[in-house]
Structures are given as structure tokens and as C-alpha cells.
Amino acid sequence: MVVNETAPTAKELMVVAAAREIGDGELVFVGMRLPLLAFRLAQATHAKNSIGLYENGLIRARAAASPVFTMSDDANVRHATSATDMLDVMGLLQSGRVSLGFVGAAEVDRFGNLNSTRVRGTRLPGSGGASDIASLAGRVAVVLKHETHRLVERVHHLTSPGHGDGGGWRERTGLRGRGPVAIFTDLAVLRFDPESNEATLHSYHPMSSPEEVAAATGWPLRKTADCGPTPLPRRDELELLRSFDPESFWL
């Protein structure tokens, strides 16, 4: 059942699915945009003891009390557990203490490599902290819009490493952590095959279909054995999520 008899939107499903990736007690590098909402939702529901890290140096053991649009908003700074600097939170990454990191990008490829640097001659903002997160977090979740020119066979530029060219690449190159474990989009959830490290279709949102997801993906998309519809948000999840973004700024 969903709140106000209104079905969840594709973006809302995307955020709820991402929030469910966060485990209770985990140290989470939150990132920007939709992950801000995913972390708040997780802390308010199943992951009350998770701790959020922000690239600007903030650490929060409790979510902000009012809507947050950027990580440096007053609402996010106020009552933060710690207001330190980028070096300190990046140090937690390097010491291997971060469980999960959220990242976005202009492109992600079939092995979870990310490009936020350059696409067909257009210069983009670059890595920021994404390469550090992708290299050092215990596991990585990618959040982006599902379009053929964004989910590509091979990224045009490798900004942040995923699984390189497939099975065993991270181990061979000495990268810490499991690397990307999931891609959350407005159409589906993709997860990475444990042997090949290739992104495969794990679930498709109810307003979509496996065929639509495959058509919007830039490589021949395989399905997991248990592939099915993405579970709908519970009433409390949807109600909370909408209260976190009452003006639908991100949603």
C-alpha cells in the first residue's frame, strides 16, 4: 500500500531501493542529490545506527531535522556529530572503515567503471571524491538516470574504477573493497555477477519492464536468476521520503 493512494514515481522507487542497500550500523559516504534522501530514509527506518559521512567534512549520526538540498546546507551542519574537514573523512576511507559509498556519474559501463570527466569532447566536473570512494569503500552503489548514452558498453574516460575489465580485476590491481555492488536507476536495479563482475538486471520497477530496461542499456543485458519487479515502497517509507523533500526539489 502506498500513501495517499498515489503510486510511487520512478525516482521515489530509485531512492527507496538505494536506501535499502544501507545496513544498520554502517559508515556511509553519502554523496549528493538523491543519496542525500536515501540516507535520511534509511536512518529513519531500518538503519537507525548508520553514520553519514559527507565530502565537506561533516559526520552525522542522526539525520538532519529539516530538508537538505546540498551537503553544506545549514540544516545539515546544525547538530552534526562532527564538523571537520575533507581530509578527516577521506582518512576514514583510506583506513578501510567506510562500509558503503554512493556515487553518480555521466556514464557507467557494464563493469561498473565511471566517467565524470569527459564525454565526446564535452568537459565535465571531474572526480571530486568519487575516485577515492570507488577505490577504497567496502562496497559502492551507483545512482543515475537510466539512458542508453549513460549506461554504456565502455566508458569514454575512466574517472573512477569499478571492476575494470571484469572478473578479478580489482584484486589484480590491488584495489581495496568489493567495488560496485549495485546500480540504482529510475528504471531498475542492476547488480554485479560475482564471477564476471558484469552488471546484470536484478529488478525492474513496476512502471517499466525487462524489455524497456534492456533497450535503454548500452550492452546486451543479462538477468539474474531471481530477477523480478522491484518491491514497492512501504507506506511509511513513501510517507517519510515525501516529507524529506516536500517541494519535490530532488524528486
Side-chain angles (χ1 to χ4, degrees), residues 187 201 204-205 208-217 221 223 227-228:
L187 295 181
L201 180 60
Y204 51 92
H205 300 341
S208 181
S209 68
E211 293 75 21
E212 182 183 3
V213 177
T217 304
L221 186 63
K223 295 188 290 187
C227 178

Side-chain angles (χ1 to χ4, degrees), residues 23 34 50 60 71 79 93 120 139 148 153 172 218-219 242 250:
L34 295 180
S50 58
R60 294 201 67 100
M71 65 179 70
H79 304 307
L93 266 175
R120 291 178 290 276
R139 65 191 196 283
T148 310
E153 177 83 23
R172 293 193 302 272
W219 65 86
R242 290 173 177 174
W250 291 122

Side-chain angles (χ1 to χ4, degrees), residues 91-152:
L92 293 172
L93 266 175
Q94 189 165 2
S95 64
R97 297 177 64 185
V98 176
S99 311
L100 172 66
F102 283 98
V103 292
E107 292 181 330
V108 61
D109 68 23
R110 68 192 301 167
F111 296 118
N113 303 299
L114 301 168
N115 174 20
S116 54
T117 301
R118 186 180 298 276
V119 176
R120 291 178 290 276
T122 300
R123 186 67 169 88
L124 303 172
S127 169
S131 184
D132 302 78
I133 296 168
S135 299
L136 300 172
R139 65 191 196 283
V140 176
V142 182
V143 180
L144 80 171
K145 187 174 175 62
H146 204 129
E147 298 171 310
T148 310
H149 65 277
R150 300 191 70 180
L151 281 83
V152 295

Side-chain angles (χ1 to χ4, degrees), residues 232-249:
L232 287 171
R234 302 188 310 269
R235 181 186 181 92
D236 65 309
E237 289 176 317
L238 196 55
E239 199 168 43
L240 282 165
L241 178 57
R242 290 173 177 174
S243 74
F244 296 153
D245 188 17
E247 303 299 325
S248 296
F249 182 84

Side-chain angles (χ1 to χ4, degrees), residues 8 108 129 177 197 207 210 218:
V108 61
N197 294 141
M207 66 284 293

Side-chain angles (χ1 to χ4, degrees), residues 170-215:
R170 289 184 71 91
E171 291 79 6
R172 293 193 302 272
T173 53
L175 287 176
R176 183 186 295 162
R178 293 169 56 190
V181 295
I183 301 173
F184 297 100
T185 81
D186 53 342
L187 295 181
V189 177
L190 278 60
R191 294 196 177 273
F192 290 83
D193 181 84
E195 298 298 326
S196 68
N197 294 141
E198 180 179 331
T200 57
L201 180 60
H202 176 72
S203 72
Y204 51 92
H205 300 341
M207 66 284 293
S208 181
S209 68
E211 293 75 21
E212 182 183 3
V213 177

